[in-house]
Amino acid sequence: MTILKLLAAGLLAALLGACASAFPHRDVKHSGSIVDYLFPNAQEAPQMTPGVTYLRPPVRVGLAFVPSSKRTPSYTASLAEAEKIKLLEQVKAAFSKHAYIGSIEVIPTQYLRPAGGFENLEQVARMFNVDVMAMVSYDQVQFNDSNALAFLYWTIVGAYVIHGDQYDVQTMLDISVFDVASHKLLFRAPGVSQVKGGASLANFSERSRAAQVEGYGRAAEQLIPQLQSELDNFKERIKTDAAFRVENRAGYRGGGAFSGFELALLLVLAGVMWRRAHVAARPA
Amino acid sequence: MLRPARPDAAVGLVAAAAVALAFAPAAWLHALEFDREAILRGELWRLWGAHLVHFSPAQAIADALVFSLAGVFAARTLGGRNWWMGLLLAAASISLGLLWLAPDLVAYRGLSGLASATLLLAGIGIGNTRPALRPLLWWCAVALLLKTVADACGLAAGLGTLPDGVRIEWRAHALGAMVGATWWWITSRRQTPMAKTIHLQRG
């Protein structure tokens, strides 16, 4: 009888252990690499032909996430499209602060082909009528570990209340801006983040998904000031760098602008009027 | 019935709005600017919005100062009703004029077109009420004309408040002056002899 009881207890323990180990949290990696997208079959480093890049302000900019490579299964396809658009809108706001930037188009990832190369980039640029493409590449790795409290998952209730699992989500966003006509990289700006946290077995999936989204958001927050700084630097660089030439496009932007000249004329007029009124009012 | 506070209020509010919008989010500025393609697509609010938005705070402040000073002169010396209506019609006329006369202009922002209109109104008003100042006013008019020619030839770019890649749209100033002259002509024809007397007395 005792042997039977021991066997039953052992079987129960094995069953509970099996339950707990039926939900393994594997490490997750999402990435969309600009190199994989633009140079899918490159065996050696791409050769740049020297030449002048012509920029015609106001520059029309296209903004898009690099599509993930073909090898990435669709169920791990990282960020939802709505979240991507939200992030791109933040980046768009950074671009639109500069007068030499014209229209900015947010381009959904569906318009880009995985490993499409410059051929695909040019197609999309023509479709959206943009001169420059700002491509956001990303790399997110989620490490999952269990801590000592995971032992309490055996109690079943523990699987719902004990935070026995931990995640560590590390994200890197990188925006690279390419001139479509010359294929030249104009500038780039990175942003990184790390989000750590814990969850119970039951809500680990939900928590870790939220952490992934938060990771992208934080990386974007870090990327935007860097992008602003790079945009300012680039504006100065093209004034001195012989590899860039700024030309006026057909059509131009005009401002109705007065200067100190008109203001000075008005102030002179006001001064003369005031003086005459003052002299006239003075008793003889 | 003359209500001198109304022209001042109209001028002040427009100038204040232009300065406030200089610090507005870029999306607002893009939504309000003169965009040739968008206007032709039917976004007609841009005919008025273009005069309230600017490319830089410096441009907005310079334009708003000239507009408000000239506007106050014009309002004080001319008086008159319907300044709001006058400003609305003037703004639309300048934008439509740019649409017609400047086919290469893809985007435009600035209050200086309207400021030109008020400058001309102020000049005429002061000249009518203070004949002794007419020689000085003529000198000012010649100086402004020369400045407009310099703007048209690209010789006065260094004086401007515009960022790189944006040209001074001198045609907006010329159109503004023409609209101001038309405004004066219509107002002077519609004013009653009594109102004219009151203006002269106030001057």
Side-chain angles (χ1 to χ4, degrees):
Chain A
M1 193 63 184
T2 312
I3 292 169
L4 272 176
K5 279 181 182 172
L6 279 172
L7 275 174
L11 187 62
L12 186 64
L15 279 172
L16 286 172
C19 282
S21 61
F23 306 99
H25 302 305
R26 283 177 298 183
D27 294 346
V28 182
K29 180 178 165 69
H30 302 137
S31 74
S33 158
I34 188 72
V35 177
D36 286 349
Y37 172 64
L38 290 178
F39 308 102
N41 303 314
Q43 300 298 316
E44 55 191 41
Q47 299 294 312
M48 284 301 296
T49 46
V52 177
T53 300
Y54 292 91
L55 295 168
R56 294 172 180 85
V59 178
R60 295 181 296 241
V61 180
L63 269 175
F65 261 83
V66 172
S68 54
S69 68
K70 280 175 181 172
R71 292 183 295 274
T72 309
S74 60
Y75 62 88
T76 60
S78 71
L79 212 51
E81 193 60 30
E83 293 292 339
K84 283 183 183 173
I85 300 282
K86 208 189 285 179
L87 285 178
L88 290 178
E89 288 293 340
Q90 288 178 34
V91 177
K92 180 179 172 178
F95 270 102
S96 60
K97 286 178 184 162
H98 294 262
Y100 62 92
I101 305 281
S103 62
I104 305 160
E105 299 285 344
V106 170
I107 300 172
T109 315
Q110 284 83 351
Y111 285 84
L112 295 150
R113 210 172 49 237
F118 277 107
E119 188 192 344
N120 181 231
L121 196 73
E122 282 169 356
Q123 285 169 350
V124 173
R126 267 200 302 276
M127 193 185 293
F128 284 86
N129 190 28
V130 295
D131 314 306
V132 160
M133 284 293 286
M135 302 298 294
V136 182
S137 49
Y138 57 94
D139 188 84
Q140 187 174 67
V141 184
Q142 181 184 325
F143 298 104
N144 300 318
D145 298 296
S146 298
N147 59 27
L149 293 173
F151 173 75
L152 295 168
Y153 287 166
W154 285 34
T155 61
I156 297 180
V157 175
Y160 290 87
V161 295
I162 302 297
H163 285 198
D165 282 305
Q166 290 173 315
Y167 51 77
D168 177 0
V169 181
Q170 296 183 21
T171 310
M172 193 193 85
L173 287 179
D174 187 281
I175 187 161
S176 16
V177 181
F178 285 89
D179 175 54
V180 177
S182 64
H183 297 183
K184 191 178 273 183
L185 173 67
L186 304 180
F187 57 89
R188 60 169 286 275
V192 293
S193 74
Q194 184 176 32
V195 179
K196 286 182 171 186
S200 64
L201 179 67
N203 66 5
F204 181 81
S205 177
E206 183 190 346
R207 286 278 182 91
S208 64
R209 236 185 3 257
Q212 287 171 13
V213 174
E214 190 186 341
Y216 281 113
R218 284 195 197 175
E221 279 170 21
Q222 205 190 69
L223 179 143
I224 284 163
Q226 303 248 29
L227 177 62
Q228 287 287 10
S229 157
E230 285 299 323
L231 278 162
D232 292 335
N233 290 343
F234 181 69
K235 188 181 162 190
E236 293 306 313
R237 186 153 61 91
I238 54 175
K239 289 178 185 169
T240 52
D241 193 335
F244 295 100
R245 197 167 296 165
V246 178
E247 284 189 338
N248 286 321
R249 69 166 71 244
Y252 64 96
R253 306 185 100 190
F258 278 148
S259 60
F261 179 78
E262 288 84 358
L263 203 56
L265 276 183
L266 267 172
L267 289 174
V268 166
L269 189 61
V272 170
M273 284 173 71
W274 180 82
R275 193 164 181 277
R276 279 174 180 260
H278 195 66
V279 168
R282 194 181 296 165
Chain B
M1 183 70 191
L2 296 172
R3 285 175 248 179
R6 285 177 64 185
D8 284 356
V11 168
L13 275 173
V14 170
V19 173
L21 279 169
F23 302 96
W28 293 22
L29 307 184
H30 282 295
L32 288 172
E33 73 177 4
F34 174 103
D35 178 329
R36 171 174 292 277
E37 288 179 12
I39 291 171
L40 295 176
R41 275 201 310 267
E43 296 180 6
L44 295 181
W45 66 84
R46 293 173 186 272
L47 297 175
W48 293 274
H51 301 277
L52 294 176
V53 293
H54 291 81
F55 288 104
S56 68
Q59 184 202 357
I61 290 166
D63 280 7
L65 276 173
V66 174
F67 174 75
S68 47
L69 266 176
V72 166
F73 274 135
R76 290 278 159 85
T77 52
L78 297 176
R81 289 174 290 177
N82 299 327
W83 265 71
W84 278 113
M85 186 60 76
L87 286 174
L88 287 172
L89 285 174
S93 306
I94 294 166
S95 296
L96 288 171
L98 287 175
L99 209 60
W100 180 46
L101 292 173
D104 291 340
L105 180 69
V106 291
Y108 169 82
R109 297 178 191 176
L111 187 59
S112 64
L114 273 181
S116 288
T118 52
L119 267 176
L120 194 117
L121 284 172
I124 294 174
I126 295 168
N128 278 350
T129 52
R130 295 174 175 81
L133 287 176
R134 281 180 190 168
L136 176 64
L137 288 168
W138 277 113
W139 278 114
C140 288
V142 170
L144 285 173
L145 188 67
L146 288 175
K147 170 72 171 19
T148 307
V149 172
D151 284 341
C153 300
L155 301 173
L159 291 175
T161 49
L162 293 171
D164 293 343
V166 183
R167 292 191 218 164
I168 292 181
E169 186 44 66
W170 63 274
R171 274 168 284 213
H173 300 170
L175 280 164
M178 285 166 61
V179 166
T182 312
W183 188 345
W184 162 257
W185 182 71
I186 293 169
T187 310
S188 61
R189 280 175 67 88
R190 291 179 66 181
Q191 271 183 339
T192 60
M194 177 65 81
K196 282 183 181 172
T197 311
I198 292 169
H199 290 155
L200 289 172
Q201 284 171 350
R202 288 181 69 234

